[in-house]
Amino acid sequence: MIKPINESVVNVFKEKKTFLIMAHQKPDGDAVGSAVALGLGLKQIGKNVDYWMDSKIEKRISFFPEVSNFNQNQYAGQYDAYVFVDCSSYDYAYKPNTSMDNGIKIVIDHHLTNIGYGDVNHIENTSACAELIYRLLVQLGASHENQIAEAVYTGISTDTGGFQYSSMTSDTFDILKELYAYPNRFALLADRLHRTKSYNETKLYGKAIDALTLYADNRLAWIVMDHKTIERFGGMVNVGDDVANIGIGIEGSVIAATVKEHRHGEYKISLRSAEPYPVDVSHIADLHGGGGHQRAAGFNYSGNLDDLKKELVDFLLEKKAEIDACE
Ligand SMILES: [Mn+2]
């Protein structure tokens, strides 16, 4: 049984004709997968669709034929609706500078830090935004051709570390069960999404392991990747999830912080918290203007790194009793 999503959201999709689809900056597998699945599904039921997407998309998630339709702006100036997928805040959206006041804003997201910045919103704690998109398409009566199935699979698979995180639910598996009914090449996709790395990515992964340091009685795993190192190995837009997860793979570590200096003195911070500790890293990200989930969150930072490290160490020390109780 596939769960329905808010009727008010479904009705807007039924009523409106022309849509602009957007997602967060530096789109990940869920952002691209959600956008592609939604766009293709809407087209199937006769809607006009444009995409406004950050073009810095990693190669492993840009294989969808539909990606070639990103940023074509066929219907510029005519949008009835502006749809934000997988985007926890309006500020973090990759969006045009022009006004969106002529249309209705729709937000579909699975980040609970999302305040609901749309005129209509569906925000629900699912494993991936792609789950919500799939459910919406079921309600809209779109059929799930292969590219949609692959896009939904990509969103869920990348946001759950290959179906492993605690965010997986029986509802997620209900959707996967339906996806597997289509002719698929999910094994090939899994390889592409989770295993295959370029030479540079592999070297960067090694540099990240080298840079790993432990603090707070080994509860904090701390990795700083400086600008020079990132540039040297390709300057990739998104240092992958596998790098962000190195730290929580260390026995006993509770929080992993990966600091990526994407420009001199400007950092992207990825936080992870390990099972089963009662630590919610989205609260920390929230304090710094970012967002995310209990086990994975992120934010931009341009302050002193020692201050940030101290903040995390203090946070862990405050929670020491609760953390130790999990052993
Ligand atoms: Mn997501």
Side-chain angles (χ1 to χ4, degrees):
M1 170 63 189
I2 301 296
K3 276 169 55 176
I5 79 163
N6 293 351
E7 204 57 42
S8 58
V9 173
V10 178
N11 286 338
V12 176
F13 281 100
K14 284 182 181 160
E15 283 159 18
K16 304 296 179 187
K17 175 75 178 163
T18 304
F19 296 83
L20 184 67
I21 298 177
M22 293 161 279
H24 61 76
Q25 299 164 23
K26 299 193 172 55
D28 59 7
D30 192 26
V32 172
S34 294
V36 164
L38 178 61
L40 285 170
L42 290 177
K43 286 179 184 181
Q44 258 187 37
I45 58 167
K47 308 294 183 180
N48 300 329
V49 176
D50 274 350
Y51 304 89
W52 190 280
M53 296 285 289
D54 192 341
S55 57
K56 293 183 220 97
I57 304 175
E58 287 174 87
K59 212 172 86 203
R60 71 192 170 96
I61 51 170
S62 63
F63 59 89
F64 301 101
E66 187 66 1
V67 168
S68 66
N69 291 324
F70 283 7
N71 305 317
Q72 296 300 314
N73 294 322
Q74 263 183 282
Y75 306 103
Q78 304 170 47
Y79 305 113
D80 307 320
Y82 296 88
V83 192
F84 299 83
V85 297
D86 195 38
C87 185
S88 58
S89 74
Y90 186 69
D91 283 347
Y92 193 37
Y94 185 81
K95 55 188 180 294
N97 289 323
T98 48
S99 164
M100 298 182 202
D101 293 344
N102 61 321
I104 190 167
K105 286 197 199 73
I106 309 172
V107 172
I108 303 177
D109 190 28
H110 69 126
H111 299 90
L112 288 185
T113 51
N114 193 320
I115 57 159
Y117 51 88
D119 300 307
V120 290
N121 303 280
H122 186 103
I123 294 152
E124 183 184 332
N125 187 18
T126 50
S127 76
C129 183
E131 269 198 47
L132 300 172
I133 301 299
Y134 182 87
R135 287 160 49 187
L136 170 69
L137 294 183
V138 168
Q139 272 166 288
L140 290 174
S143 72
H144 301 291
E145 44 102 331
N146 282 1
Q147 203 182 161
I148 293 179
E150 292 193 349
V152 172
Y153 175 96
T154 295
I156 297 174
S157 182
T158 52
D159 260 23
T160 60
F163 315 125
Q164 292 181 60
Y165 297 164
S166 58
S167 53
M168 290 293 298
T169 65
S170 57
D171 293 330
T172 320
F173 281 105
D174 283 343
I175 292 170
L176 291 170
K177 180 171 184 269
E178 294 200 355
L179 297 183
Y180 271 77
Y182 287 82
N184 67 69
R185 43 174 198 158
F186 294 147
L188 171 69
L189 270 188
D191 246 342
R192 182 179 288 164
L193 297 173
H194 299 289
R195 282 187 284 278
T196 308
K197 281 194 190 69
S198 68
Y199 172 82
N200 277 339
E201 285 170 310
T202 307
K203 296 298 265 188
L204 196 66
Y205 189 77
K207 290 287 173 194
I209 294 174
D210 263 353
L212 171 67
T213 316
L214 300 175
Y215 296 96
D217 293 332
N218 303 341
R219 295 305 199 186
L220 173 65
W222 175 260
I223 291 175
V224 177
M225 309 192 72
D226 62 41
H227 186 67
K228 224 175 92 191
T229 305
I230 293 175
E231 279 297 297
R232 181 174 164 206
F233 294 109
M236 61 207 73
V237 290
N238 254 329
V239 177
D241 232 22
D242 48 349
V243 170
N245 287 337
I246 290 171
I248 46 164
I250 305 296
E251 225 175 335
S253 84
V254 174
I255 291 180
T258 310
V259 176
K260 295 160 279 186
E261 188 183 25
H262 64 106
R263 277 195 287 270
H264 285 290
E266 288 179 40
Y267 309 99
K268 293 214 161 288
I269 315 294
S270 302
L271 298 178
R272 298 289 184 272
S273 67
E275 294 285 348
Y277 302 104
V279 167
D280 186 343
V281 288
S282 75
H283 290 324
I284 302 169
D286 217 21
L287 290 175
H288 291 278
H293 312 276
Q294 182 191 359
R295 298 284 174 221
F299 58 94
N300 293 320
Y301 186 79
S302 52
N304 182 309
L305 288 184
D306 285 332
D307 291 344
L308 178 64
K309 192 200 301 165
K310 184 171 183 309
E311 183 187 329
L312 295 173
V313 168
D314 289 346
F315 177 86
L316 285 163
L317 290 178
E318 250 170 58
K319 294 212 155 243
K320 186 176 174 5
E322 280 172 76
I323 290 166
D324 290 347
C326 292
E327 299 295 340

